[in-house]
Amino acid sequence: MSRRRKIYEGKAKILYEGPEPGTLIQYFKDDATAFNAEKKAVLDGKGVLNNRISEFMMTRLGAVSIPNHFIKRLNMREQLIRKVEIIPLEVIVRNVAAGSMSKRLGIEEGETLPRAIVEFCYKKDELGDPLVSEEHIAAFGWASPQELDDMISLSLRVNDFMSGLFAGVGIRLVDFKIEFGRHFEGDMMRTILADEISPDSCRLWDLETNEKLDKDRFRRDMGGVTEAYAEVARRLGIIKENAQGADVLDFSPGSK
Ligand code: UDP
């Protein structure tokens, strides 16, 4: 097998050159990090689950005309994606107070917000991805006014769609982080959803019990991290209802 060229390695994923121009292969690792990589672990099977969950979300979002980078899943850990130039912002959408917003504003975790709130963080690991305002984004040119508009309206559509989808399987979408990229098609450039959507980047609480089914289990040393991700996959119908233990991760190539 020919050796592929690695384009980028992040905390949880690796990007390789794709088979065609304009494509990349996104590889999902089992590595978990939190608090700007101060806390690290390897969680067996996390990458496999996130590959499947992100495939599911991107496919569903594509079906409601939310443009995104996903082309197809290649195997247990890899998906073929469109190459984009990542806009250096993390877009966070919140429905319920939690995490850094609760700390910053003194709002108790779990309090429903008056409406969905969109926040931006500047992607800069050395600075710990600081919260920034639209003024900063405009003044420093991190995104054009058109891109900012596109990111806000797409993020709110993603939030509405995913909130409904998760509510249908008994999960509250508390908040999530997404990233966007510039996709070039000939002379055209458009803003599309990129990166991943998985329990690494969303807060997902059981609607009835408030049990956490996301990366906070890792951040807060609660244990059962991959089990919670598998539960999300099971509820979404991605893995078999009765799958237990190793079977959970036994995704045969033909299985859907
Ligand atoms: N988030 C993320 N990557 C980051 C920071 C946040 O995926 O680098 C997600 C996080 O999982 C949560 C949402 O964005 O779903 C809001 O995170 P918050 O600002 O509360 O930060 P945290 O408390 O996780 O540090």
Side-chain angles (χ1 to χ4, degrees), residues 1 11 26 31 40 50 52 54 58 60 66 84 92 125-127 129 133 137 147 168 172 187 197 201 218 224 235:
M1 212 172 84
K11 285 170 265 187
Q26 179 164 250
D31 300 40
K40 288 186 195 165
N50 282 355
R52 293 292 293 247
S54 201
M58 294 293 184
R60 293 297 183 287
I66 294 178
V84 298
I92 294 173
D125 279 343
E126 310 90 278
L127 303 175
D129 301 337
S133 71
I137 297 169
E147 287 170 340
R172 175 174 306 147
D187 291 346
I197 299 181
S201 55
F218 171 68
R235 291 204 197 174

Side-chain angles (χ1 to χ4, degrees), residues 11 35 90-94 98-104 109 119 121 129 174-179 199-203 215-216 219-220:
K11 285 170 265 187
F35 312 119
E90 297 193 335
V91 184
I92 294 173
V93 184
R94 301 177 184 272
S100 69
M101 171 182 256
S102 289
K103 273 201 209 94
R104 205 177 334 114
E109 279 218 326
E119 295 177 346
C121 294
D129 301 337
V174 170
D175 59 30
F176 62 91
K177 183 267 299 181
I178 46 180
E179 296 184 22
D200 268 3
S201 55
C202 301
R203 282 196 171 93
K215 193 167 152 185
D216 271 349
R219 294 187 190 98
R220 301 178 190 191

